[in-house]
């Protein structure tokens, strides 16, 4: 499909497409498929392919501008020819994300929606796709609007009490400002609680498999991927390069990297590999520490466990198909057999759980989700400003000072949705209060 | 002989003025005084010199943000503060239970004394000439204004002209379905002058406002009414005065009821402000009582403030009952109010509509951008309120004077005065309704306080010649003492342990004072060796500045974020038609103002956040050398 947007799309459409019945009406009826042929300008007699043309009239289109979509049988040659015909007719190639950018600039979507479009298109797991679709459909924007409504009311209450002290006496319900601030704070906290899983869904995690030599790190990678990606050999130190693959850990896209085993005495090549493994560990979101459950943990295992204490990690006790050693793996380890596939789902579940280990809530089935670090930062600022405002209202701080925090909070919402807060407060005051002596 | 030939034309009673001020209201008085005191030959031309400094509406000066302006006027060397200190009959501070930034002074004036005081002041001023005359048009030298001519045929050549014509431009008074041309009830309208301004190419608009009936105090039963008294210890408006030694009188609070509202509701179609007879935009800030009843049908009562208009009159101003309803309805509704059952109206309330000049055509010096030498101030710029008018009058008068002297204009920043906020709002945003200052319009609100207007502005007043060297020096000395005292608090520590809740032993006095429950005077309790500053005004400033410090820092950080937009300059030759992503409506607004920075663009009402983003992206992308919207974008594959 070729999509064209802008004020002159109809001219382009007319030069590169001829309906089977001819142009009975022009411009064509919006949102009604026309059957015909696509062709180069002035070459209707030598069509490229049979095609369907759909016209969307502004503002009821994706970008908010006039949009034409031409659908043909497909195939790279045909699509390239239609694209070239359109360029010849005066269109130009869209920049990456330009349709969405235009949709944002024309007010068809807010920034949180626009951001989610690219993430939706690139979603690599079903759950990521579902959550991004919710964003594209405006779930975060709606929650931001609810927060803004509450804050706007607080601001209006404060400003009205400051600027019209004699006129609105008695109109202000005591405690209402605090109630609205707490509402805003609760909504903000709820939205922010989705940040860990939301960002993980959207940006994915990187997990690094580490362990002493020959505990079956590469086997675990292969088992998770369901294919023989890494070479497996009983000889320790087989893996020298990093091998990676992508898995779906209960919805979270995870890039898993297999590394060289960590041991002390090693040859020159291996030393370099171990160094690189350590660097990789520092950058990873999560470590998968593999132990061999058929033998007691050795000194190397123990030092690895000690050194990664407090770091985000999942301990995996591999080779559960063999007889467990007397001293089993440390508590909390996931028991897995790369050979039989036993415990792999538990491992994926553990990776997923890890996302919420340090706070946050599951994204749930509906409502807004924070899907980028930028959104999380704006919301963090918003939360802090709301907390200060609420504390101020509780502590009887003067309204002109609380107003500074509320104004700050409103600015953060603007950052979240990409709007700058304009003079909305006065409008709010005048719709709510009877002003004027 | 043709009558026209006998008409006086081109009579020049004097040779040349530096500044001619057209209109003797609150803007005109400040403009004329400022210009004359700057050493310039000044003429104040008024339709009726009996009405100089007339309070057309309420008999009061000050209020939220307005009280701030009066003090700023005083600090810059204007006269309004002295006038109200001398003629007030009740003085109050509003918002005393809130913080210092939003405490405002307000005073009831004896209207007659006020205007007498002001006229006397003006008449006593050297180089200030006062004449009665109806200005009809301008003397021009090319695009430049070089004087005015009057209905009587006089010509007054001048190097600059300030027009502060209030509601007189094409004024039309309405009382119910009665209407007549007037600048105020019973006074001439200025019809030709409006046409002359339009003839200069200025875009004009129409606004409306209304005032209340004036009641005869003899016919009011005050017993059911609640008195509202002034403050016994009032800090005067003017920094020159230390205390007010005048007797104060009370105002009275009454209340409308459902009967009143029913009468109003039944007669809504007889109000020209509601029926559609009047075409101007109404003031949201002092809405007509009919508008209130219509907009808030659930309310069972509205407060009315009965304000005496002076000591030598029994006329009572009915604050809260602004109306354009017919006089029979006015009387009927008033008589439903307890205390007013037998009331007699001395003058009816009325509505007035008038022309104004869209102020986005002015520069920040209040000079018309396309007409050098012509300055506008007050309601002609779309504002309401005596204080807003006076503040603009002062700025326009000073800048007319500076222009004559060949000096650069005085432009006050949004972070240094409410007058700066007012002027910037007018010339960048324009207005579509009578504009009133509010503290919420000032993003630097915590910095702009009544208590520090002298510290903010006196050196500027001195620089233009309206504040004496001694006054400026006194203020500088005060600023120095405040600064030293704050530094001292940063050196001394809490030496006494007073237990839980009290400032920690060893902490700086500065930090101790930041705690909400600690006051500057208490500091000796925490450090017995510490002697507080002797001067009360210094001590007050130290306390306010220290307590506000954290919030001011946050406020300024927010402003700084927004200021990023101010640093993004829009090229002067920008072609808005090449920005495909903005609506025709927004484009028209941008074309109208032609903002200089992205920040200014974002403050124009109707310019949407998305349009600002579009503009930002355009500015960022304009160096790509590609017109971003000239061609339709194509591409995209399934």
């Amino acid at each position: 499909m070729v999509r064209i947007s802008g004020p002159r799309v109809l001219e382009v459409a007319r030069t590169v497409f001829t309906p089977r019945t001819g142009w009975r009406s022009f411009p064509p009826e919006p949102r009604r498929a026309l059957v015909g042929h696509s062709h180069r300008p002035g070459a209707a007699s030598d069509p490229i392919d049979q095609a369907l043309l759909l016209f969307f009239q502004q503002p009821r289109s994706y970008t908010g501008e006039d949009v034409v979509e031409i659908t043909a049988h497909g195939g790279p040659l045909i699509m390239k020819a239609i694209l070239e015909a359109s360029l010849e007719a005066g269109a130009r190639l869209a920049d990456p994300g330009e349709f969405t950018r235009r949709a944002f600039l024309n007010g068809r979507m807010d920034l949180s929606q626009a951001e989610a479009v690219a993430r939706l298109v690139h979603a690599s797991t079903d759950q990521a796709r579902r959550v991004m679709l919710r964003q594209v459909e405006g779930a975060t924007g709606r929650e931001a609007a609810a927060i803004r409504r509450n804050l706007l009311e607080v601001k209006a209450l404060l400003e009205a009490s400051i600027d019209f002290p004699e006129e609105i006496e008695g109109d202000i319900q005591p405690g209402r400002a605090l109630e609205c601030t707490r509402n805003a704070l609760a909504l903000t906290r709820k939205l922010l609680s989705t940040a860990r899983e939301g960002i993980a869904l959207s940006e994915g995690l990187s997990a690094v498999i580490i362990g002493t030599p020959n505990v079956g790190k590469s086997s675990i990678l292969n088992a998770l991927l369901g294919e023989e990606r890494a070479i497996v050999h009983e000889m320790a130190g087989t893996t020298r390069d990093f091998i990676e693959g992508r898995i779906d850990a209960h919805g979270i896209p995870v890039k898993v990297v297999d590394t060289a085993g960590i041991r002390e005495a090693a040859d020159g090549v291996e030393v370099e590999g171990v160094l690189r493994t350590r660097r990789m560990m520092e950058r990873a979101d999560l470590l998968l520490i593999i132990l061999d459950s058929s033998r007691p943990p050795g000194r190397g295992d123990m030092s690895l466990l000690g050194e990664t204490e407090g770091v985000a990690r999942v301990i995996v006790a591999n080779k559960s198909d063999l007889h467990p050693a007397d001293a089993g793996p440390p508590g909390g380890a996931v028991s897995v057999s790369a050979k039989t596939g036993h415990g792999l789902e538990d491992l994926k579940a553990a990776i997923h759980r890890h996302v919420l280990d340090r706070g946050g809530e599951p994204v749930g089935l509906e409502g807004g989700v924070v899907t980028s670090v930028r959104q999380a930062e704006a919301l963090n600022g918003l939360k802090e400003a709301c907390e200060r405002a609420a504390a101020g209202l509780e502590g009887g701080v003067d309204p002109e000072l609380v107003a500074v925090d509320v104004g700050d909070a409103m600015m953060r919402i603007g950052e979240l949705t990409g709007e700058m807060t304009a003079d909305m407060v006065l409008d709010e005051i005048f719709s709510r209060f009877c002003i004027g002596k | 002989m043709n009558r026209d030939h006998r008409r006086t034309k081109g009579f020049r009673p004097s040779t040349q003025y530096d500044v001619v001020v057209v209109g003797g209201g609150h803007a005109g008085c400040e403009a004329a005084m400022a210009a004359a005191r700057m050493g310039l030959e000044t003429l104040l031309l008024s339709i009726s010199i009996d009405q100089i400094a007339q309070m057309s509406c309420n008999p009061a000066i000050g209020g939220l943000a307005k009280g701030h302006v009066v003090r700023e006027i005083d600090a810059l060397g204007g006269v309004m503060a002295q006038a109200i200190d001398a003629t007030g009959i009740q003085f109050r501070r509003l918002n005393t239970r809130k913080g210092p930034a939003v405490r405002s002074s307000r005073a009831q004036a004896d209207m007659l004394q006020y205007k007498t005081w002001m006229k006397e002041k003006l008449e006593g001023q050297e180089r200030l000439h006062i004449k009665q005359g109806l200005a009809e048009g301008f003397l021009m030298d090319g695009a430049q204004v070089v004087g005015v001519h009057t209905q009587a045929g006089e010509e007054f050549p001048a190097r600059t002209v300030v027009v502060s014509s209030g509601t007189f431009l094409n004024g039309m008074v309405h009382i119910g379905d009665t209407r007549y041309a007037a600048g105020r009830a019973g006074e001439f309208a200025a019809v030709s002058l409006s046409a002359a301004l339009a003839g200069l190419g200025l875009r004009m608009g129409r606004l409306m406002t209304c005032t209340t009936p004036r009641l005869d105090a003899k016919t009011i039963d005050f017993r059911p009414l609640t008195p509202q008294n002034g403050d016994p210890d009032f800090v005067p408006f003017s920094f020159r005065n230390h205390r007010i030694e005048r007797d104060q009188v009370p105002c009275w609070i009454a209340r409308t009821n459902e009967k009143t509202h029913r009468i109003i509701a039944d007669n809504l179609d007889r109000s020209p402000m509601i029926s559609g007879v009047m075409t101007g935009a109404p003031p949201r800030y002092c809405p007509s009582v009919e508008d209130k009843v219509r907009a808030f049908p659930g309310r069972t009562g509205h407060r009315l403030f009965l304000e005496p208009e002076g000591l030598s009159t029994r006329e009572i101003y009915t604050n809260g009952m602004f109306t354009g309803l017919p006089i029979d309805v006015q009387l009927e509704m008033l008589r439903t109010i307890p205390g007013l059952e037998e009331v007699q109206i001395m003058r009816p309330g009325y509505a007035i509509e008038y022309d104004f000049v869209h102020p986005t055509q002015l520069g920040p010096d209040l000079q018309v951008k396309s007409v050098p030498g012509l300055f506008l101030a007050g309601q002609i710029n779309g504002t309401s309120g005596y204080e807003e008018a006076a503040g603009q009058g002062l700025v326009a008068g000073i800048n007319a004077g500076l222009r004559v002297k060949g000096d650069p204009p005085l432009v006050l920043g949004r972070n240094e005065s409410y007058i700066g906020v007012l002027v910037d709002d007018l010339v960048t945003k324009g207005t579509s309704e009578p504009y009133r200052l509010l503290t919420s319009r000032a993003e630097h609100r915590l910095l702009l306080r009544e208590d520090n207007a002298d510290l903010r502005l006196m050196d500027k007043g001195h620089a233009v010649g309206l504040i004496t060297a001694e006054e400026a020096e006194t203020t500088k000395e005060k600023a120095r003492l405040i600064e030293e005292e704050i530094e001292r608090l940063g050196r001394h520590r809490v030496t006494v342990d007073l237990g839980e809740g009290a400032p920690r032993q060893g902490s700086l006095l500065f930090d101790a004072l930041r705690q909400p429950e600690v006051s500057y005077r208490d500091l000796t309790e925490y450090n017995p060796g510490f002697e507080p500053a002797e001067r009360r005004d210094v001590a007050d400033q130290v306390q306010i500045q220290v307590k506000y410090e954290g919030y001011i820092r946050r406020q300024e950080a927010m402003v700084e974020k927004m200021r990023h937009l101010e640093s993004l300059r829009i090229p002067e030759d920008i072609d808005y038609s090449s920005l495909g992503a903005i609506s025709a409506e927004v484009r028209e607004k941008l074309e109208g103002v032609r903002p200089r920075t992205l920040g200014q663009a974002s403050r124009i009402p109707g310019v949407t956040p998305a349009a600002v983003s579009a503009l930002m992206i355009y500015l960022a992308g304009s160096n790509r050398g590609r017109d971003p919207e000239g061609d339709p974008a194509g591409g995209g594959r399934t």
Side-chain angles (χ1 to χ4, degrees):
Chain A
M1 189 259 279
V2 172
R3 176 190 285 154
I4 316 170
S5 174
R8 281 162 44 207
V9 286
L10 284 168
E11 289 169 41
V12 176
R14 195 171 200 157
T15 7
V16 301
F17 181 87
T18 304
R20 192 191 297 157
T21 55
W23 292 104
R24 281 189 172 162
S25 64
F26 196 85
E29 191 183 328
R31 294 162 179 266
R32 180 157 189 154
L34 275 176
V35 184
H37 287 98
S38 62
H39 49 75
R40 292 185 49 209
S45 57
D46 179 19
I48 298 168
D49 188 11
Q50 294 176 322
L52 281 179
L53 180 138
L54 256 176
F55 169 55
F56 299 88
Q57 192 168 23
Q58 62 90 17
R60 296 184 60 209
S61 73
Y62 182 77
T63 58
E65 306 164 340
D66 280 351
V67 167
V68 159
E69 292 178 358
I70 300 172
T71 314
H73 281 114
L77 186 76
I78 292 173
M79 295 326 288
K80 185 162 171 275
I82 297 177
L83 201 56
E84 281 170 2
S86 308
L87 299 182
E88 215 176 308
R92 67 163 172 79
L93 277 179
D95 297 331
E98 183 169 359
F99 290 104
T100 302
R101 198 186 78 204
R102 288 187 179 205
F104 167 63
L105 293 180
N106 289 321
R108 298 291 289 174
M109 53 176 73
D110 70 26
L111 200 55
S112 68
Q113 287 174 290
E115 276 180 313
V117 171
R119 293 169 192 268
L120 172 63
V121 173
H122 295 115
S124 61
T125 69
D126 275 339
Q127 177 65 1
R129 177 188 55 70
R130 272 184 218 112
V131 166
M132 293 310 149
L133 180 60
R134 259 150 68 183
Q135 303 321 296
V136 170
E137 293 187 337
T140 303
R142 276 192 296 280
E143 294 192 8
I147 298 170
R148 187 200 303 269
R149 267 197 306 281
N150 276 289
L151 290 173
L152 201 53
E153 184 170 345
V154 180
K155 194 89 161 71
L157 288 163
L158 294 173
E159 298 299 350
S161 77
I162 290 169
D163 272 329
F164 304 97
E166 305 217 303
E167 288 128 295
I168 57 153
E169 254 173 17
D171 278 358
I172 292 186
Q173 199 188 320
R176 178 68 185 155
L178 182 56
E179 186 185 334
C180 290
T181 308
R182 285 185 178 146
N183 288 345
L185 184 55
L187 288 165
T188 304
R189 283 188 174 140
K190 179 168 162 283
L191 196 51
L192 195 53
S193 74
T194 65
R196 286 198 171 271
E197 188 172 5
I199 294 172
L201 279 168
S202 142
E203 296 181 352
L205 290 183
S206 71
V208 172
I209 299 179
I210 56 170
T212 50
N214 222 0
V215 291
K217 296 185 291 298
S218 299
S219 306
I220 295 269
L221 175 67
N222 288 341
L224 283 170
L225 295 178
E227 59 179 294
E228 295 297 310
R229 182 78 60 86
I231 300 168
V232 182
H233 196 277
E234 63 193 26
M235 200 178 104
T238 311
T239 306
R240 297 217 165 148
D241 268 336
F242 298 115
I243 298 180
E244 62 177 59
R246 284 164 196 284
I247 65 162
D248 175 346
H250 291 208
I252 310 280
V254 182
K255 184 180 79 177
V256 184
V257 185
D258 182 21
T259 64
I262 294 178
R263 65 172 173 181
E264 274 148 31
D267 63 39
V269 182
E270 223 183 312
V271 168
E272 175 59 20
V274 170
L275 278 176
R276 286 169 64 188
T277 296
R278 293 204 175 273
R279 279 202 295 276
M280 191 69 96
M281 284 166 65
E282 282 162 19
R283 287 202 299 266
D285 296 313
L286 177 65
L287 304 178
L288 304 182
I289 298 173
I290 316 294
L291 303 175
D292 181 346
S293 64
S294 67
R295 58 171 171 83
R299 227 181 58 192
D301 297 318
M302 293 312 285
S303 90
L304 200 55
L305 287 171
E307 145 189 8
T308 57
E309 190 99 43
V311 178
R313 65 178 185 183
V314 173
I315 299 167
V316 182
N318 191 21
K319 308 190 186 177
S320 65
D321 51 308
L322 300 178
H323 291 296
D326 297 341
V334 183
S335 179
V336 170
S337 165
K339 193 167 170 188
T340 65
H342 164 260
L344 282 176
E345 283 311 304
D346 296 342
L347 174 54
K348 288 181 183 174
I351 294 174
H352 181 233
R353 255 200 324 277
H354 147 80
V355 171
L356 297 178
D357 266 0
R358 292 187 205 173
E361 297 291 327
V363 296
L365 296 176
E366 54 190 18
V369 176
V370 176
T371 55
S372 73
V373 174
R374 188 194 70 76
Q375 293 172 355
E377 277 172 0
L379 279 164
N380 249 320
L382 173 60
K383 188 189 73 165
E384 284 166 15
C386 286
E387 283 167 350
R388 278 199 305 267
L393 287 167
E394 283 162 6
V397 169
D398 289 330
E400 76 280 10
L401 301 181
V402 178
V404 171
D405 291 322
V406 178
D408 188 5
M410 291 179 72
M411 200 149 136
R412 308 289 178 157
I413 298 195
E415 287 171 13
L416 180 66
T417 60
E419 289 163 278
M420 271 155 297
T421 40
D423 274 353
M424 288 183 302
V425 180
L426 290 181
D427 291 337
E428 175 77 2
I429 290 179
F430 289 103
S431 61
R432 305 183 60 84
F433 299 114
C434 180
I435 295 306
K437 276 188 181 176
Chain B
M1 199 194 243
N2 187 322
R3 255 184 84 81
D4 226 28
H5 286 156
R6 287 203 325 228
R7 206 182 141 188
T8 307
K9 225 175 164 188
F11 169 60
R12 297 194 169 190
S14 67
T15 49
Q16 167 95 24
Y17 291 101
D18 292 316
V19 181
V20 169
V21 178
V22 177
H26 305 284
C29 288
E30 295 291 351
M33 276 301 282
R37 292 188 54 219
M38 286 167 75
L40 303 167
E41 287 300 318
T42 305
L43 171 66
L44 176 64
L45 193 61
S46 164
I47 289 183
S48 165
I49 61 178
D50 290 334
Q51 304 295 340
I52 282 176
Q54 169 72 6
M55 294 185 160
S56 319
C57 196
N58 61 325
I61 298 276
L64 260 296
K66 294 161 171 277
H68 291 71
V69 169
V70 179
R71 294 200 176 214
E72 290 177 2
I73 289 172
D74 191 61
L76 285 167
V79 279
M80 182 174 250
Q82 294 173 56
I84 185 62
D85 279 347
T87 62
I89 54 176
Q90 189 206 84
F91 296 85
R92 288 172 61 221
R93 198 94 194 272
L94 307 177
N95 274 345
T96 47
R97 273 174 294 175
K98 302 188 181 95
V102 297
R103 291 180 200 151
S104 273
S105 307
R106 185 178 189 275
Q108 298 298 135
D110 181 313
M111 287 172 59
L112 187 62
Q113 281 184 24
Y114 186 91
K115 69 181 189 184
T116 307
W117 187 96
M118 189 66 89
K119 185 158 173 257
E120 200 179 332
K121 185 88 177 168
L122 264 56
E123 285 175 350
Q125 175 61 43
E126 260 181 286
R127 292 176 297 275
L128 175 52
H129 310 272
I130 300 175
K131 287 181 188 293
Q132 181 157 304
L134 174 57
E136 282 205 320
F138 301 100
L139 307 178
M140 300 299 294
D141 177 6
Q144 186 166 337
V145 162
V146 290
V148 296
H149 59 85
T150 68
Q151 187 184 39
E154 292 165 296
E155 288 187 352
F156 298 108
R159 295 164 73 183
T160 54
V161 173
V162 178
V163 179
S164 48
S165 50
T167 58
F168 280 63
L169 291 183
N170 246 335
M172 178 72 73
V173 162
H174 296 252
I175 305 171
D177 48 15
T178 306
R179 64 172 154 165
Y180 58 91
R184 258 189 305 248
E187 298 178 43
F188 293 117
V191 178
S192 306
L193 190 59
S194 187
L197 288 162
L200 292 175
L202 296 184
R203 208 159 48 83
M204 316 281 289
R206 206 148 170 81
L207 296 174
M208 63 168 150
T209 189
C210 53
T211 187
T212 76
R214 281 24 168 217
L215 312 179
D216 184 345
K218 286 198 297 293
T219 62
I220 296 175
D221 175 4
F222 287 93
R223 284 168 304 178
L225 307 180
T226 313
Q228 189 181 42
N229 292 304
D231 301 342
D233 289 319
F234 179 81
V235 180
F237 282 95
S238 173
F239 291 98
R240 284 163 197 78
N241 298 330
H242 297 291
R243 51 178 303 143
I244 303 274
E245 311 243 1
R246 288 177 62 84
D247 292 335
Q248 300 201 38
V249 299
C251 294
W252 302 87
I253 299 173
R255 200 171 174 79
T256 63
N257 52 53
E258 283 170 327
K259 259 194 254 164
T260 329
H261 298 181
R262 203 167 320 117
I263 291 166
I264 294 167
D266 287 348
N267 288 284
L268 280 182
D269 57 326
R270 296 182 67 196
S271 168
M273 305 187 77
I274 304 268
S275 67
V277 171
M278 296 179 77
T279 53
R284 283 199 293 185
Y285 310 102
C286 42
S288 63
V289 69
E290 49 266 37
D291 221 18
K292 290 196 218 177
V293 167
R294 190 177 60 160
F296 296 91
R299 289 272 301 232
T300 54
H302 296 276
R303 285 214 284 186
L304 299 178
F305 296 79
L306 304 188
E307 303 175 354
E309 296 213 326
L311 301 176
S312 58
T313 175
R314 289 179 186 271
E315 279 190 81
I316 298 281
Y317 180 88
T318 331
N319 204 338
M321 191 157 285
F322 302 91
T323 184
L325 284 164
I327 190 160
D328 55 305
V329 181
Q330 290 187 26
L331 189 63
E332 197 187 344
M333 67 190 188
L334 281 167
R335 288 188 165 183
T336 59
I337 295 166
L340 304 184
E341 293 87 348
E342 306 286 323
V343 79
Q344 287 291 345
I345 295 176
M346 292 178 76
R347 308 180 202 217
Y350 65 90
I352 184 164
E353 54 184 334
Y354 53 97
D355 291 345
F356 77 110
V357 175
H358 284 289
T360 49
Q361 300 167 101
L362 309 181
D365 54 354
L366 293 180
Q367 186 171 201
V368 178
K369 283 187 267 191
S370 60
V371 187
L374 179 61
F375 294 79
L376 307 181
Q379 274 171 306
I380 190 173
N381 291 338
T383 59
S384 82
Y386 309 147
E387 306 79 2
E388 285 89 341
Q392 290 172 70
L394 183 58
V395 169
I398 289 172
N399 282 323
L402 292 172
R403 180 180 158 84
V404 171
K405 294 178 163 194
D407 289 337
L410 171 72
V411 176
L412 298 171
R414 296 182 69 93
N415 59 351
E416 57 192 7
S417 69
Y418 273 94
I419 299 176
V421 172
L422 164 69
V423 171
D424 183 64
D425 275 354
L426 290 175
V427 305
T428 67
K429 291 182 180 179
T431 187
S432 53
E433 63 184 343
Y435 176 102
R436 172 176 161 186
L437 259 181
L438 302 164
T439 71
S440 59
R441 295 192 192 271
E443 66 277 29
H444 301 275
R445 175 161 64 192
L446 301 181
L447 293 177
L448 307 183
R449 304 185 301 271
E450 276 197 358
D451 60 68
N452 68 356
D454 54 342
L455 298 169
R456 290 186 274 126
L457 297 170
M458 268 204 181
D459 58 332
K460 290 183 188 285
H462 175 55
V464 298
L466 297 179
I467 293 287
T468 64
E470 294 91 308
E471 286 169 321
E473 201 40 58
T474 307
T475 306
K476 260 199 207 116
E477 171 68 9
K478 178 174 161 190
R480 196 178 55 77
L481 290 173
I482 295 164
E483 201 179 315
E484 282 176 6
E485 185 58 15
I486 291 176
E487 270 174 32
R488 201 159 71 99
L489 296 181
R491 289 196 307 268
H492 290 78
R493 292 178 187 278
V494 175
T495 54
V496 182
D497 185 2
L498 291 177
E500 196 139 330
R504 227 166 14 85
Q505 196 174 353
S507 61
L508 291 172
L509 290 183
F510 181 88
D511 292 320
L513 184 51
R514 287 173 62 173
Q515 296 190 12
E517 62 285 350
V518 176
S519 82
Y520 177 77
R521 292 276 160 211
D522 296 342
L523 291 178
T524 41
E525 288 176 32
Y526 305 115
N527 179 338
F530 177 82
E531 277 186 35
E534 276 170 30
R535 275 176 60 173
R536 188 178 155 187
D537 57 347
V538 171
D540 287 350
Q541 280 305 309
V542 169
Q543 164 145 335
I544 293 167
Q545 290 184 20
V546 172
K547 286 203 178 293
Y548 263 20
E549 196 254 354
Y551 282 96
I552 288 178
R553 208 158 6 95
R554 269 214 301 293
Q555 171 191 275
E556 294 305 296
M558 269 160 64
V559 172
E560 195 50 49
K561 252 191 195 175
M562 293 306 281
R563 200 183 337 241
H564 167 64
L565 298 176
E566 301 293 338
S567 66
L568 295 175
R569 300 199 70 82
I570 301 172
E572 280 182 25
D573 58 349
I574 187 171
D575 178 11
Y576 287 109
S577 63
S578 70
L579 260 82
I582 57 175
S583 71
E585 198 189 330
V586 170
R587 185 172 307 142
E588 203 174 286
K589 300 213 150 93
L590 290 167
E591 294 278 10
V593 177
R594 298 205 67 86
R596 288 181 301 251
T597 65
L598 205 57
Q600 192 185 350
S602 73
R603 290 196 300 272
I604 300 171
V607 172
T608 59
V612 175
S613 307
L615 203 50
M616 195 188 301
I617 289 167
Y618 174 86
L619 293 178
S622 54
N623 52 6
R624 286 193 314 185
R626 185 163 74 183
D627 165 6
E629 300 294 338
D631 300 316
R637 281 175 296 271
T638 48

